[in-house]
Amino acid sequence: MWWRVLFLSSIAILGAGMAHAERKTVCTITVNSDDEKQAMRKRLPPGQYDFVELLEKGRERWLHSACERHVQCDVLVISGHFNAGDTFYSDKVENGDHLKVDELERASCSNSCPGMFSRLKEVYLFGCESLNPEATRNATHGESARERMRRIFWSVPAIYGFSSSAPVGPTAAMLLNKYFDSGPSEIGTGRVSQRLLRTFSRNHITHTSGIRGDPAQMAYRTQTCQLFDDRLTPSRKLAAIHEMMRGEHADARAVLDRVEKLLASLTDAERASPEFESTLAAISRDHATGARVLATARTTREPAMRVRLVSLASTLGWISEDERRAEHARMIAELLGRNAMGFAEVDLACKLGEGGALEAEIPAVAAAPSRASAASRAAALACMGSAPAHAEVIRALWGADSRDVQVAQAYLRNRPVTDPVELRAMAEGVTRMSSPDAQVRAVETLARMRIADREILDELGRAFAEAKSVGVQRAIAEVFIRSDYRKPELAEMLRRNRLRAPEGRPDLIDTLIHRLQGIS
């Protein structure tokens, strides 16, 4: 009889052990709404699922803290706005909590956090475009959100997310409850749930799996992880970046964002270490890779990307400072040659020419063939430091062509005028403009200069009274607001001469009148 007792006891102990082993840990990162988490917590059997919130409110390195606590997740639920970017964030201004995808990748790659994701079976990404298959303008490192999530959660068999807009918290919770109502839970099994996909089918849900089993993707992950692995020195990471840029088919644009982040994170002491300097010197001698990076820069149509690649070539020792400035001038000349010098390009040219950095390159750009308008060409040369071009672009501010006015506006945002005589000439020209749309933009440019000259402000007051456009009057009101103009009779002049907008809603003119009330 005793053996039966022993047998039954053994079965009970084994059963208890199996029940304990079957308990699953649902890790949550609640950046925005907790509706999804609460729906799962209420509907999953408490004896089978434990919930652990990884985010610690107000703590900067909360994911690192979870690693130190040796949390092991079977299921991961991330709730936050995303939009195929590089950060999950909250829509509440007062909530500063966020989750950078770089931190997820660091946790996935680094040996300092070996267990958190090691037994993950499922990941739920409740954020817009969290599995967008397209490399959108928001996507990090030129790859799609889907590609990056597959690499981060490389061994996970079931990753759920959204290819486009995702349901907001309460809607997501409602759909989760609908899923639980339709049958037994499959959460934590590691198998793709067709019932869950059907339940969210009208909400752009999609699913994928990690890259395990794809040799090419796993090799790329090994390379990429070197940039996030806490065990590697800055020198080793720099060498890894060099390796990723080498090869005939390598594209520096694919790693540029990571390179910039690494270099920006280094301290002066790390940069000055013998190991780092030795690695940097070795990279600078790789002229073949440097030539390919520079060739990529020259063929890149996007000016901002081109500037970043040229800066990288300079930082890694492939070109000198003089050569870097020459590359910037070459780019400006090419933009003028294909008539592509608009607002953004003028803004970039002015930033490159700050402090007279491109003055020596003015003759070369001035001599290059140009298909751009006279105002665009003048703005480019003025950004580089040409005084005659500066005078020409100032005159373009009150021209008849709204595109020329826009170019002048871009220039003056970077090189605001401070000389009183020049400011008065500008104001006089702006008040004589005949095109309301162009005049609005020109007046807005004056507003940014916070004009305090009484003569100019009086002239603008007369222009307000004579204006035939509500838009022009509103723009002039902004000049007065920014200049803190306090002429007592101004309020009455505004009331008497203002044009009523069709919508009849309060605007900048009302704001200005309200501020002037009470002045005697």
Side-chain angles (χ1 to χ4, degrees), residues 123-125 127 129-133 146 158-165 167 192-193 196-197 200-209:
V123 173
Y124 297 82
L125 303 168
E129 301 186 84
S130 50
L131 286 184
N132 189 333
R146 182 177 181 272
I159 306 171
Y160 300 94
F162 298 87
S163 60
S164 183
S165 59
V192 174
S193 171
L196 184 71
L197 295 175
F200 283 81
S201 60
R202 296 184 179 181
N203 299 87
H204 308 112
I205 195 170
T206 186
H207 71 94
T208 187
S209 59

Side-chain angles (χ1 to χ4, degrees), residues 195-303:
R195 281 196 298 114
L196 184 71
L197 295 175
R198 284 195 299 271
T199 303
F200 283 81
S201 60
R202 296 184 179 181
N203 299 87
H204 308 112
I205 195 170
T206 186
H207 71 94
T208 187
S209 59
I211 61 173
R212 193 208 302 256
D214 186 329
Q217 287 292 331
M218 288 298 292
Y220 180 64
R221 179 181 185 274
T222 299
Q223 277 190 321
T224 304
C225 273
Q226 293 180 80
L227 309 184
F228 293 94
D229 195 333
D230 292 336
R231 295 170 296 177
L232 300 184
T233 64
S235 174
R236 287 279 303 279
K237 291 180 179 181
L238 186 64
I241 286 171
H242 179 210
E243 190 62 32
M244 294 173 76
M245 287 191 292
R246 295 177 67 184
E248 185 178 348
H249 302 293
D251 188 345
R253 288 170 294 193
V255 297
L256 181 58
D257 192 67
R258 296 187 181 96
V259 177
E260 291 173 332
K261 284 182 178 179
L262 171 64
L263 295 175
S265 69
L266 299 178
T267 65
D268 291 341
E270 288 171 329
R271 291 175 182 272
S273 70
E275 183 186 14
F276 189 87
E277 289 185 340
S278 175
T279 301
L280 190 59
I283 293 173
S284 69
R285 292 192 294 270
D286 183 359
H287 303 297
T289 299
R292 278 193 296 273
V293 170
L294 206 54
T296 299
R298 289 171 178 170
T299 57
T300 298
R301 300 284 290 184
E302 185 184 346

Side-chain angles (χ1 to χ4, degrees), residues 89 186 231 264 281 372 510:
Y89 61 94
E186 303 151 294
R231 295 170 296 177
D510 295 294

Side-chain angles (χ1 to χ4, degrees), residues 323-342:
E323 289 169 326
R324 181 165 72 97
R325 287 190 285 270
E327 287 296 329
H328 290 161
R330 179 202 295 260
M331 180 192 72
I332 293 172
E334 289 177 8
L335 289 171
L336 292 172
R338 65 172 193 259
N339 193 18
M341 183 64 71

Side-chain angles (χ1 to χ4, degrees), residues 386-406:
S386 167
H390 167 84
E392 188 176 349
V393 77
I394 290 297
R395 289 192 294 273
L397 181 66
W398 60 80
D401 191 323
S402 60
R403 290 169 297 183
D404 289 349
V405 175
Q406 187 178 35

